[in-house]
Amino acid sequence: MRKWLNMYFSFSKREFNGLLILVTLVAFISLLPYLLEDRWRVAEQSAGDRKAIQELTMMMAEEQSDWRNNKAGADRTKRPILFKFDPNLISAAQWQQLGLSPKQAAAIVNYRSKGGKFYKPEDLKKMYTISAALYEELLPYVVIAGSRDSTYINKLPARIKKTVAVLIALNTADTLELDKIKGIGPAFARRIVSYRDRLGGFYKKEQLLEVFGLDSLKFQEIKDQVYVDEAKVVKVNLNTAVYETLKNHPYLRSKQINAILQYRKQHGNYSNIADLKKVAILSATDVERLEPYFSF
């Protein structure tokens, strides 16, 4: 390069070296913006990534906080509603009120349906679905009919006794027992017993709404304090019943009773509930309501 330049220009060695350095600097300065552009792009990208990560971290923290708050709220709403109960009789829904999940409640009901039975309050320990902590909470409220431990509730402090709900058998309780139900006084107790005697017993709790003066608000207040044993419902043999036997039943009017007896006289004995549907004066709803009270 030096020889080529000397053909047209006259440079000393020192001038040539200075020129070479100058050219190098010019080339470097020309390339510098391109080099810096790549570094700026990487820096900007890194800053953007850091910002995105920060935003994602904040979002996850907020979601975790919301989850914890929701879980805490759910736990508060799932606190057990404690009441005196017989584990051999209460339903799955009542087990859930006591603090069990639907699956846990179903497991206990299934255990009973296969012949399992609780003989004393401590038998609750045998149920793997009931935790040790929940067992300690429930134990003072267990009342098993016929068990020597059924008076366990009496060992509770007076301040707790006042808050303990009762669980009354609708089809066998007398007026004094019904009067123990929170929201039921002596007047309602007498009306319930009177209506139960006319029916022959309750086969579902909702029939309490048919008792004079007992509205839906009162029903909601007392429904979890009672249970129904359908086996205690008194059935009338429709093939031997006479007018006097049926006249007091609240689901039957005089004309319907006469039609039932007349149909039996003309067509012979009833063989099942389907035959009752053939009595023209009875609607499908009438037959459905009467079915639990008749035998054939």
Side-chain angles (χ1 to χ4, degrees), residues 89-125:
L89 298 173
I90 63 172
S91 64
Q94 289 170 312
W95 277 115
Q96 290 177 51
Q97 286 182 320
L98 290 170
L100 275 69
S101 70
K103 286 186 177 180
Q104 291 172 328
I108 293 182
V109 172
N110 186 50
Y111 164 77
R112 290 194 328 224
S113 68
K114 292 182 177 180
K117 189 174 181 180
F118 299 91
Y119 296 95
K120 57 184 184 297
E122 289 76 11
D123 286 346
L124 284 181
K125 281 183 180 178

Side-chain angles (χ1 to χ4, degrees), residues 13-55:
K13 184 177 180 181
R14 184 176 182 181
E15 288 173 338
F16 176 79
N17 290 336
L19 179 62
L20 189 61
I21 293 171
L22 179 62
V23 171
T24 303
L25 286 173
V26 170
F28 176 75
I29 292 171
S30 299
L31 293 172
L32 186 61
Y34 299 100
L35 296 174
L36 292 177
E37 183 180 358
D38 288 339
R39 291 180 64 85
W40 289 334
R41 187 180 299 114
V42 171
E44 288 175 357
Q45 185 175 4
S46 299
D49 290 344
R50 284 197 298 272
K51 184 178 180 181
I53 292 171
Q54 288 174 351
E55 290 177 353

Side-chain angles (χ1 to χ4, degrees), residues 41 65 70 80 134 140 142 147 167 207 214 216 232 252 267:
R41 187 180 299 114
S65 177
N70 291 336
L134 183 58
V142 180
S147 169
L167 189 61
Q207 288 177 285
L214 204 155
S216 57
K232 300 296 183 181
L252 286 171
H267 300 278

Side-chain angles (χ1 to χ4, degrees), residues 45-93:
Q45 185 175 4
S46 299
D49 290 344
R50 284 197 298 272
K51 184 178 180 181
I53 292 171
Q54 288 174 351
E55 290 177 353
L56 181 60
T57 302
M58 291 175 64
M59 187 184 301
M60 292 176 66
E62 289 175 359
E63 289 180 355
Q64 188 175 20
S65 177
D66 291 341
W67 178 83
R68 286 174 179 170
N69 291 336
N70 291 336
K71 185 176 185 299
D75 289 342
R76 285 193 297 271
T77 59
K78 291 183 179 180
R79 289 297 302 158
I81 300 174
L82 300 175
F83 55 86
K84 190 167 64 172
F85 69 97
D86 187 334
N88 293 311
L89 298 173
I90 63 172
S91 64

Side-chain angles (χ1 to χ4, degrees), residues 168-171 192 195-196 199-211 214 219 222-223 226-233 251 285 288-290 292-293:
I168 300 296
L170 269 180
N171 286 333
I192 291 172
Y195 190 72
R196 181 188 69 195
L199 275 174
F202 298 99
Y203 65 86
K204 61 180 181 179
K205 293 180 185 181
E206 286 73 15
Q207 288 177 285
L208 286 171
L209 290 165
E210 299 165 12
V211 176
L214 204 155
F219 176 73
I222 69 174
K223 68 182 180 68
V226 298
Y227 69 92
V228 171
D229 183 357
E230 294 183 35
K232 300 296 183 181
V233 173
Y251 292 169
T285 302
E288 184 180 352
R289 295 170 75 195
L290 290 167
Y293 299 102

